[in-house]
Amino acid sequence: MAVQQKLQPFDRSFFGVVLTICIAGLFIFISASLGILAHSESKFYSVLFSQLALGYTAGFIALVICLKIPYTFWRKHSLYIFLFGLVFTALVFIPHIGFSHGGARRWIAIGPVSFQPAEFLKIAFVIYFSSWLAWFEKKKKEGDSSQIVPFVVMIAVTGGLLLLQPDTKSLILIAGASSVMLFVSGIQMKKILWICGIAVFGFVTLLFFRPYTMNRVKTFLNPSADPRGASYQVQQSLIAIGSGGVFGRGLGQSIQKFNYLPEPQGDSIFAVYGEEFGFFGTVILVCLYVFFSIRGYSIALRAPDAFSRFMVVGLVTMLVAQSFLNIVSIVGLFPLTGVPLVFVSQGGTALLFALASVGIILQVSRYKRAA
C-alpha cells in the first residue's frame, strides 16, 4: 500500500535535548573562554561575539528557517546544493577571499565575518548522497545491480578538495557518515568491505604524506613519548579531567584553562568541563549526546521515505560522530582530530550549520509513515 505523509508537530524531545546541550554549552563555553580573558580582553570579546552572534543567534534562525522548508526541497535541489558546496569550499584557495590560519587554508572572509565553508559542504554531501541512495534503492527494486561508482567519485572529489586545505577531520566525518548511510541502505556487505579496504589504504597512505597526522597517531600509541610537544595537549587534558575528581571543582574554577590547555574554549573544552564538573558531570553530558543520537535515529525510522531516512541518518551520524570524536580524543582513546564538541566548542560556523542540520531533522520529524 502506498505510503502517505501526515503532518504533525516536530519532535519536542529531540529539540529539548538540543536546547539543553546548547544552554549548558553556553555556560561551559563562557567559563572555558576565561582562559583567553586572562591573556587578551579584546580576543575574549571577539570570540564571545562570534559564538553568540554567528553561532547561537544565526544558528537558531537557521534552525527555524530549515524547520519551515519542506524536506522535499532538499532532494529536488540536491545536485545544485552539492555543487554549490564544492564551489563554496574551493573559494578558500582564491587570494583575498580565502585565508590561512595555523598552516591550514580553511576559511573565507566576507567583510568582517569569516566562514569555514567545509561545514556547509558536509551537509551538502549528506543531502546529495541521500538523494543518490534513494535513487539507487529504487533501482535495486527494479533489478538493476548498478555499481557504486558515483559514491567513489563523490568521495574522491570531496576528499581531494578537503585534503588540499588540509582538512582531514571533515573528510573523516563525511566518510564515516556516508558509510553508515550505505550500511542502512542495505548495500551488499562485500561492497562495504571493499570501501572500507580502500579507506584504510587511503588513510595509511595519508600518514606518509601528512607528517602531523603521523605524529598524532604516534602520540595516541604512546601519549608519554613527547609530553612537551606532540603529546602536550593530551597530557594536560588528562590532568584537567583527573583533577576534577567525582564532582569537579565547580563552574568557572578550572585551573588548567588559564596556562596549560591549548584552545580551552575549542578542542580542549571537554577537558575544562571535566575539571569543573567531574566524573558525574561528564557522564551526564555523554548521556545527553547518547539520547540525542537515539532520538535522532528514531526520527529516521519514522521518516516518510527513503531520501528523508538517509538524510536524517547522515546528519545525526555526522553530529554524533563529531561529538564523540572530540571526547574520545581528549581522553586519549583516539588520535587528536581537532573537531569541536557540537553545540559547545568555539566555532560560529560549525555551530550555525549544526543547528541548521537540527532544523532539517526536525522538519522530517513532522512527517510519519502511515499505511
Side-chain angles (χ1 to χ4, degrees), residues 295-332:
R295 200 66 198 173
Y297 288 133
S298 71
I299 292 173
L301 287 174
R302 302 192 308 270
D305 56 30
F307 167 74
S308 57
R309 180 173 71 254
F310 294 135
M311 182 170 63
V312 171
V313 166
L315 293 176
V316 170
T317 301
M318 192 91 71
L319 295 173
V320 171
Q322 181 172 323
S323 301
F324 283 105
L325 271 178
N326 175 276
I327 293 172
V328 297
S329 63
I330 287 299
V331 299

Side-chain angles (χ1 to χ4, degrees), residues 23-46:
I23 293 173
L26 179 58
F27 284 101
I28 299 167
F29 173 78
I30 293 174
S31 174
S33 298
L34 294 177
I36 302 176
L37 182 60
H39 300 282
S40 173
E41 184 176 344
S42 60
K43 184 178 180 181
F44 168 77
Y45 287 113
S46 174

Side-chain angles (χ1 to χ4, degrees), residues 97-218:
I97 297 178
F99 65 94
S100 60
H101 175 73
R105 197 171 185 86
R106 303 173 187 165
W107 295 267
I108 61 173
I110 302 177
V113 181
S114 60
F115 289 89
Q116 192 169 350
E119 297 297 333
F120 176 81
L121 179 59
K122 290 190 292 187
I123 298 177
F125 183 94
V126 168
I127 291 173
Y128 182 61
F129 191 45
S130 299
S131 179
W132 181 83
L133 282 176
W135 170 84
F136 185 69
E137 187 173 86
K138 182 179 179 181
K139 288 293 182 181
K140 285 194 299 182
K141 291 178 180 179
E142 295 174 355
D144 190 335
S145 57
S146 303
Q147 299 300 311
I148 55 173
V149 174
F151 167 68
V152 175
V153 173
M154 279 185 275
I155 284 288
V157 173
T158 305
L161 191 58
L162 291 173
L163 289 176
L164 285 173
Q165 299 184 18
D167 188 0
T168 309
K169 62 181 183 295
S170 291
L171 178 57
I172 291 174
L173 290 171
I174 287 175
S178 57
S179 297
V180 174
M181 293 165 70
L182 274 174
F183 177 77
V184 171
S185 73
I187 198 168
Q188 294 177 349
M189 185 56 65
K190 65 180 181 180
K191 292 182 179 179
I192 294 180
L193 292 176
W194 269 106
I195 293 172
C196 290
I198 294 173
V200 171
F201 175 77
F203 179 73
V204 172
T205 303
L206 182 65
L207 293 179
F208 292 97
F209 289 94
R210 294 279 191 266
Y212 74 91
T213 305
M214 178 68 82
N215 288 336
R216 290 185 175 184
V217 173
K218 290 179 178 178

